[in-house]
Amino acid sequence: MTSEITNPNTNQNIGENGAEENLTAPTEPNKPEAGEVKPAKPAEPISGIPEGEESPEAAADDAELLKRIEELQAALLKEQIKVKLLVIGILPEKLEDAAAMAYGLFLAGRTADAAAEEIAAAYPHLKAIRTELPQFSAESAGSKDGFSAIRRIFSAR
């Protein structure tokens, strides 16, 4: 019969020869010991694809969405240029031509305002020309106003 005494502080047996024997199971190399905190492993995505990698479908969807966003931004910018051109005084009939030229200047590095103003200055025939038309009135101002004869003709009918 062997006499074994357990050391309560270290959970080890003191054998017959006086050496301490470990009663606990050997620890795994990556397993933390008592009191040691092991960093948590990041959770894997539900899709089974490791983080940082995308599925081909997701990459294609992202590319389509990015392309759609760029198209919408370009369309919005073209409409903003059209509004600026209309405010400057470009004829509505010539608006598409002026907007295409101004958009080209914008792509060349000018701001939308500067591009619209440059097109309006470079192509004055695109602008609406405001003219004052004389105002005539056929009100009765007597027999010498010039319209009295015309009024008499139409009043007789």
Side-chain angles (χ1 to χ4, degrees), residues 101-122:
M101 290 185 286
Y103 186 70
L105 289 175
F106 173 79
L107 292 177
R110 292 180 179 79
T111 65
D113 290 333
E117 289 173 5
E118 190 171 332
I119 292 299

Side-chain angles (χ1 to χ4, degrees), residues 57-76:
E57 296 86 22
D61 289 344
D62 288 348
E64 289 177 20
L65 289 175
L66 184 60
K67 183 179 177 183
R68 181 72 177 138
I69 288 171
E70 290 173 353
E71 289 172 357
L72 289 173
Q73 286 176 335
L76 177 63

